[in-house]
């Protein structure tokens, strides 16, 4: 029976350049993995030109997934060869050098302007975790995202998985980052730098990397929704949070379609045990007022990405919306978030400077409010 991981007769396999484009790594990286770890092609035309079979590519895909998750290159190569091996008779690689890391194909920061990030507060560069030393990064050319050389290993792995369009790896890396750092930490240290890099690559490369940015954004959104779908803590080991028990309403301004920033905040609030109601994109003013009256929220967060979608009249209407019995009617606190609100006079509305500032405002112990007065 023919081996499905071996090329059919007469087909020599893919060239190094084609495999590099498929995996989102530099051709020099593939040659280095061949030279250092024996992770090379099974076919060489005329003794010189490399031709990669499906089995060879499967081993390289395993190598990419393992290194993206933080496994040292030498150990990742050993596991990749084992996983792709047809049996115990598979030949052993030629003397790998486990102490020497593979050359980095990671890009350095781009000199061009980056799109405005959803979180207005820029995170400080995270410390590099312990591991093999890295070499100077490249400037984001070829099949790489310009994440820079000062970001975490997790960020670089996420960028490589995005360029490879490796959906299972994206889910795994995002879930691990959130579990290790929490939503806010994962957003600041891993997710936001990668999204920024994808945006810069898109801008500088025309339409070539649209699919990378779209796939990454979708999987980020999916990972955040998995967190937001978790039940609120109710056990003695996870006591109720000190903040308000009424829900926090999250909504985009009318005609605003950028929901990812609110999804980050929704997941972070859920992680802190705060009840939420997420209404998503383009919420009409009348629907927002009705939602406030029906749910009696402690606070309403309104997101606007651009000045075009910022609506001061909506803020005034939400602040004036009251609920409760006559003589004891209350109104919600209103937070305006996002760059669209900059420069607008919005009396009485709080303006969080970023994700952690918003979390601090929304999880703080509630203060008593006079009836009929806005928070």
């Amino acid at each position: 029976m023919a081996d499905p991981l071996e090329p059919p007769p007469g087909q020599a396999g893919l060239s190094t350049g084609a495999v590099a484009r498929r995996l989102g790594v530099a051709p020099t990286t593939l040659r280095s993995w061949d030279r250092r770890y024996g992770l090379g092609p099974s076919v060489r035309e005329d003794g010189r030109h490399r031709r990669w079979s499906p089995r060879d590519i499967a081993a390289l895909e395993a190598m990419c997934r393992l290194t993206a998750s933080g496994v040292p290159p030498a150990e990742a190569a050993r596991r990749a060869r084992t996983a792709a091996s047809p049996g115990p008779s598979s030949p052993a690689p030629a003397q790998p050098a486990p102490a020497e890391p593979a050359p980095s194909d990671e890009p350095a920061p781009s000199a061009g302007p980056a799109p405005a990030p959803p979180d207005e507060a820029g995170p400080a560069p995270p410390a590099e975790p312990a591991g093999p030393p890295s070499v100077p990064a490249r400037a984001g050319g070829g099949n790489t995202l310009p994440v820079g050389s000062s970001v975490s290993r997790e960020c670089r792995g996420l960028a490589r998985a995005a360029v490879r369009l490796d959906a299972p790896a994206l889910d795994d890396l995002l879930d691990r980052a959130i579990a290790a750092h929490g939503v806010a930490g994962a957003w600041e240290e891993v997710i936001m730098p990668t999204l920024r890099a994808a945006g810069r690559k898109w801008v500088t490369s025309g339409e070539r990397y649209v699919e990378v940015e779209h796939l990454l954004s979708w999987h980020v959104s999916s990972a955040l929704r998995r967190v937001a779908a978790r039940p609120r803590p109710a056990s003695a080991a996870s006591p109720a949070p000190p903040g308000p028990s009424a829900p926090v309403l999250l909504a985009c301004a009318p005609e605003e379609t950028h929901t990812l920033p609110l999804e980050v905040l929704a997941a972070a609030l859920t992680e802190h045990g705060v009840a939420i109601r997420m209404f998503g994109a383009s919420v009409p003013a009348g629907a927002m007022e009705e939602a406030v009256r029906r749910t009696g929220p402690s606070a309403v967060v309104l997101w606007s990405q651009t000045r075009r979608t910022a609506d001061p009249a909506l803020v005034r209407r939400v602040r004036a919306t009251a609920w409760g019995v006559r003589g004891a009617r209350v109104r919600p606190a209103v937070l305006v978030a996002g760059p669209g609100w900059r420069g607008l006079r919005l009396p009485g509305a709080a303006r969080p400077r970023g994700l952690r500032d918003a979390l601090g405002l929304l999880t703080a112990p509630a203060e008593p409010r006079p009836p009929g007065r806005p928070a």
Side-chain angles (χ1 to χ4, degrees), residues 258-284:
H258 293 82
T259 62
L260 188 57
L262 286 184
E263 292 174 36
V264 178
L265 181 57
L269 288 171
T270 300
E271 194 176 54
H272 283 73
V274 176
I276 63 165
R277 299 292 185 272
M278 174 63 155
F279 291 91
S282 303
V283 181

Side-chain angles (χ1 to χ4, degrees), residues 29-40 63 67 72-78 81 92-103 132:
T29 298
L30 299 183
R31 297 186 187 101
S32 176
W33 286 350
D34 182 11
R35 185 176 66 255
R36 297 183 181 215
Y37 309 117
L39 206 63
M63 178 75 169
T67 54
E75 173 62 17
R78 186 189 66 79
R81 288 193 306 268
Q95 297 183 2
E100 187 176 6

Side-chain angles (χ1 to χ4, degrees), residues 56-82:
D56 301 329
I57 296 171
L60 293 175
E61 290 172 339
M63 178 75 169
C64 289
R65 285 193 297 269
L66 291 167
T67 54
S69 64
V71 178
E75 173 62 17
R78 186 189 66 79
R79 296 187 195 178
R81 288 193 306 268
T82 301

